[in-house]
Amino acid sequence: MEITRSARRRNAVLALAHGVRPWIAVGTALRLLVLACYLAQGYLLATVLGGLLVGRGIAEQTGPLVWLAVLVGVRALLLWTCSVVAQLTGARTTELLRARAFGKLAELGPVHLTGARTGELREALVDGVESLERYYGSYLPALIAGLVAPVSVVVLLAVQDVGLAALVA
């Protein structure tokens, strides 16, 4: 079985994440907590609306409404923390990858650099590292949370109504 070029490239990119995997894990966990807040908010909102439809007044909905407000605040704090962790992940990625690249250049020595084009080196050391910075800091945690989201919604619906969960799935 031959490994495709894109699979090799993907494995190489993930291998470069060696020093930032804990940061990626924290960013992913925070994104999943944000997802949990969204799901809980939807559930509480449905509870309040359902109560209103069966004749319970707003005064009787105080508990779920308070929890809804708390979740909005928690979600805002989590989103801010996600942003901070993404920036820290990006900074750590830049630091590690540039240190590795410059270490390799120092190992190769000045003779290797005499034939190299400065534009290619700049592209690899600056543009390449910056694209991985965004990939590890923002894209990868959001991708994982985005893949978990639909499954979570279907599971939450299945607890309430199996037919509706099957329809949504």
Side-chain angles (χ1 to χ4, degrees):
M1 182 170 89
E2 185 179 313
I3 298 176
T4 64
R5 181 183 228 169
S6 64
R8 278 189 300 235
R9 204 175 304 146
R10 187 173 38 249
N11 289 337
V13 168
L14 292 177
L16 290 173
H18 179 67
V20 293
R21 286 184 183 144
W23 288 98
I24 294 170
V26 169
T28 302
L30 287 168
R31 296 276 182 174
L32 292 173
L33 287 172
V34 169
L35 170 64
C37 285
Y38 277 122
L39 293 174
Q41 283 177 253
Y43 180 79
L44 286 171
L45 192 56
T47 301
V48 169
L49 291 175
L52 291 173
L53 288 174
V54 296
R56 281 184 272 170
I58 290 289
E60 296 174 55
Q61 306 290 334
T62 306
L65 288 171
V66 167
W67 279 110
L68 193 59
V70 167
L71 279 172
V72 168
V74 168
R75 182 176 45 89
L77 181 63
L78 285 170
L79 286 170
W80 175 79
T81 307
C82 281
S83 175
V84 170
V85 167
Q87 290 174 357
L88 291 172
T89 304
R92 184 70 177 143
T93 299
T94 300
E95 177 185 347
L96 289 173
L97 291 179
R98 287 198 177 137
R100 285 183 202 166
F102 286 120
K104 185 64 174 176
L105 285 174
E107 179 184 311
L108 293 171
V111 173
H112 176 74
L113 296 176
T114 57
R117 293 184 178 158
T118 57
E120 290 173 356
L121 284 174
R122 183 200 162 282
E123 183 179 336
L125 293 174
V126 177
D127 299 340
V129 170
E130 286 178 5
S131 63
L132 285 176
E133 174 184 341
R134 288 184 298 277
Y135 180 79
Y136 293 144
S138 299
Y139 177 73
L140 200 56
L143 174 68
I144 294 168
L147 292 173
V148 171
V151 175
S152 301
V153 169
V154 171
V155 168
L156 184 63
L157 284 174
V159 171
Q160 300 298 314
D161 186 346
V162 175
L164 182 60
L167 181 67
V168 168

